[in-house]
Amino acid sequence: LEKLLACGCSIRLSIYPAPREEVAYVTCTYRETCIDQPDFLATIDLNPRSPYYCQVIHRLPMPNLKDELHSSGWSDKLILPCLISSRIYVVEWVHSAPIIIMIEPVDVFWKCNKGYLNIPRSLPNGDILIANTGDPSGNAKGGFIVLDGETFELKGNWENECDSPPSGYDFCYKPRHNVLVSSAGVVPKCVGYGFSPDDFKKGEGIWPSPSALTLGEDSLPLSVKFLHNPDAAEGYVSCALSGIVLPLLQVDNWAVEEVIRIPAKDVTGWIMPKMPGSLDLIISMDDKYLYLSNWLHGDIRQYELSKTCKPRLVGQVFVGGSILRGGPVAVCRDEELKCQPEPLVIKCKRVYGGPGKMQLSVDGKRLYVTNSLYSTWDKQFYPNLVKEGSVMLQIDVDTEKGGLTVNKNFLVDFGKEPNGPCLAHDIHFPCGDSTTDILA
């Protein structure tokens, strides 16, 4: 494959038909919960015919405390960078027994002058690229570190020092277009103390190498996703706080006018008089639908994509959030809703928090979601979530006409963990999923 790519051959990986996901790996943290236990990787049974359906069937604890396992990614092994400790764990299964390879933060600090690690992705040559959000002191510093794809040795920085983004979070790339785009909007030492609107007044942006595009004040670009079609240059960037989604149309025209805007809500009883949208996004493997999770408002939205780059809203469902009826926040003015949504209860479990990380099955029919975004913000905005623990939900998707429905028979309750309630975040399937696979 590497030789063919080096010769310029065009290769598209075939993923259809794909088997139904039978297990999921979910990153779980105890940081900010007052429970002195290590973070762990949970294995969830997703087989409806199994007696252990939607239960945690295995827990792999990490060797250290307060790592904040956050994002994860696949090569032929599972890559687990830590958002707070800056460690990197590489997990492989040998004869069904998990083995952990560990890279200590001191190595990341000294060799790369980087820290606060987030999204990992595999490169076409097999190496692992990991985005960072800061330097060892927590100052804003974007860029990427590289692990050897075979030995998992820390090779160093990927970008040239003079060509690094101001800060970082997510990234995505298109091999056929020779381009990588990164979001740049988080300063670790600021968000480590909790959310403050003043931390985002300078204007942050996206980083299409080698130039940056500033999106302005009150914006926090988070998720960057290209279409899965390897020939397509289109993609989307979701921006929290401003509640907008911008298209990436082509390699020389990165952003144009917004194509989606989630209106802020006028509220009382909250940290600001206006509650903005906070958006994560994923795109279905057939590039037909785009999904947004709105952690603050509490809804998940499904948009049908078209060649005109004007997404059309075709599905919406509330699975928590800060504006629920009977809560501390009152909505004074809302451009979209006539009344505040009702709390969600599944299998006698009240769901706290809002929809955070999503994962979509390869066939696009099942959307899984957890409700922890980041432990410090969880504690600030959803204290009951920290007290009661996270959940993992399944949203049934109408892939023909569009539409979302909460599956009331599916609930993974991380409030019942043996060591106490924990916060669950990232989701991956070993058989492949909509955020792991980048087609070459």
Side-chain angles (χ1 to χ4, degrees):
L1 177 60
E2 291 181 11
K3 292 180 179 179
L4 291 173
L5 289 173
C7 295
C9 295
S10 177
I11 299 175
R12 177 167 186 172
L13 303 180
S14 176
I15 59 169
Y16 296 101
R20 177 179 171 131
E21 65 285 355
E22 294 193 354
V23 298
Y25 297 119
V26 179
T27 57
C28 300
T29 185
Y30 276 109
R31 185 174 172 270
E32 298 287 7
T33 66
C34 297
I35 297 175
D36 198 28
Q37 292 291 330
D39 296 352
F40 65 97
L41 182 70
T43 303
I44 312 298
D45 191 331
L46 301 181
N47 184 352
R49 297 180 297 276
S50 168
Y52 304 105
Y53 180 52
C54 56
Q55 295 182 30
V56 179
I57 57 176
H58 187 268
R59 298 168 183 87
L60 178 63
M62 298 298 109
N64 301 279
L65 297 175
K66 303 186 186 305
D67 282 317
E68 183 110 10
L69 286 186
H70 194 68
S71 298
S72 57
W74 280 104
S75 57
D76 59 336
K77 300 172 178 62
L78 193 60
I79 313 299
L80 302 172
C82 298
L83 187 61
I84 298 301
S85 71
S86 303
R87 285 187 181 87
I88 304 170
Y89 299 111
V90 180
V91 179
E92 63 175 331
W93 280 262
V94 179
H95 304 298
S96 299
I99 303 296
I100 297 179
I101 301 170
M102 184 168 60
I103 299 173
E104 290 287 2
V106 64
D107 298 321
V108 178
F109 296 161
W110 282 105
K111 192 164 188 174
C112 303
N113 193 28
K114 301 285 183 63
Y116 301 91
L117 307 178
N118 195 23
I119 306 292
R121 299 195 190 280
S122 294
L123 292 172
N125 68 354
D127 286 348
I128 310 299
L129 198 63
I130 302 176
N132 66 281
T133 64
D135 67 12
S137 299
N139 301 304
K141 183 181 181 66
F144 310 90
I145 65 173
V146 184
L147 302 185
D148 186 280
E150 294 184 358
T151 66
F152 298 98
E153 176 188 358
L154 180 61
K155 298 175 73 171
N157 291 323
W158 177 76
E159 77 288 348
N160 295 321
E161 189 66 24
C162 61
D163 190 29
S164 62
S167 60
Y169 188 79
D170 191 14
F171 73 99
C172 199
Y173 64 88
K174 295 292 285 188
R176 294 191 185 183
H177 295 277
N178 193 33
V179 65
L180 179 148
V181 177
S182 168
S183 60
V186 174
V187 181
K189 69 179 181 181
C190 293
V191 300
Y193 294 102
F195 173 85
S196 172
D198 294 335
D199 293 336
F200 305 100
K201 289 295 184 182
K202 295 182 179 180
E204 303 294 351
I206 56 175
W207 183 72
S209 177
S211 61
L213 174 66
T214 299
L215 301 182
E217 290 191 358
D218 299 319
S219 186
L220 179 59
L222 288 181
S223 188
V224 181
K225 298 291 185 297
F226 282 110
L227 299 184
H228 294 281
N229 181 349
D231 292 320
E234 294 86 1
Y236 295 88
V237 179
S238 63
C239 301
L241 302 187
S242 61
I244 64 173
V245 175
L246 296 171
L248 302 174
L249 289 180
Q250 52 190 2
V251 294
D252 58 352
N253 181 20
W254 289 111
V256 294
E257 295 182 2
E258 65 198 47
V259 293
I260 297 173
R261 173 175 286 273
I262 310 299
K265 303 178 186 297
D266 293 349
V267 297
T268 59
W270 199 65
I271 191 173
M272 296 189 296
K274 288 184 177 290
M275 182 184 292
S278 56
L279 310 177
D280 187 27
L281 75 85
I282 60 175
I283 297 174
S284 61
M285 291 298 296
D286 59 4
D287 294 334
K288 184 177 181 180
Y289 294 112
L290 178 149
Y291 298 87
L292 292 178
S293 64
N294 193 339
W295 189 68
L296 287 176
H297 293 176
D299 58 319
I300 297 173
R301 304 185 183 213
Q302 178 191 26
Y303 292 85
E304 184 178 36
L305 298 177
S306 68
K307 295 181 179 179
T308 60
C309 288
K310 294 182 178 180
R312 181 173 66 94
L313 181 64
V314 294
Q316 183 180 20
V317 65
F318 276 83
V319 294
S322 296
I323 62 168
L324 298 178
R325 185 182 299 236
V329 177
V331 179
C332 307
R333 180 177 177 274
D334 194 327
E335 296 181 25
E336 297 181 312
L337 301 177
K338 295 181 179 180
C339 61
Q340 294 179 229
E342 295 291 337
L344 178 63
V345 178
I346 298 181
K347 293 185 175 182
C348 301
K349 168 82 172 184
R350 165 70 187 273
V351 175
Y352 293 100
K357 272 293 188 179
M358 300 177 290
Q359 191 54 265
L360 186 66
S361 61
V362 175
D363 63 10
K365 296 181 179 180
R366 293 165 301 283
L367 181 68
Y368 299 88
V369 59
T370 54
N371 57 348
S372 167
L373 181 64
Y374 163 55
S375 65
T376 303
W377 289 5
D378 294 343
K379 185 177 181 180
Q380 180 179 3
F381 291 111
Y382 296 116
N384 283 329
L385 168 63
V386 177
K387 179 181 178 181
E388 300 291 335
S390 285
V391 298
M392 177 174 163
L393 306 175
Q394 179 184 315
I395 312 300
D396 294 330
V397 180
D398 185 336
T399 57
E400 297 298 325
K401 298 179 181 179
L404 302 175
T405 306
V406 177
N407 188 326
K408 292 297 185 72
N409 295 316
F410 185 99
L411 175 74
V412 182
D413 186 357
F414 292 97
K416 296 181 179 180
E417 284 301 297
N419 291 322
C422 69
L423 302 172
H425 188 65
D426 208 17
I427 309 167
H428 279 297
F429 311 134
C431 65
D433 51 56
S434 62
T435 62
T436 299
D437 300 321
I438 295 179
L439 306 187

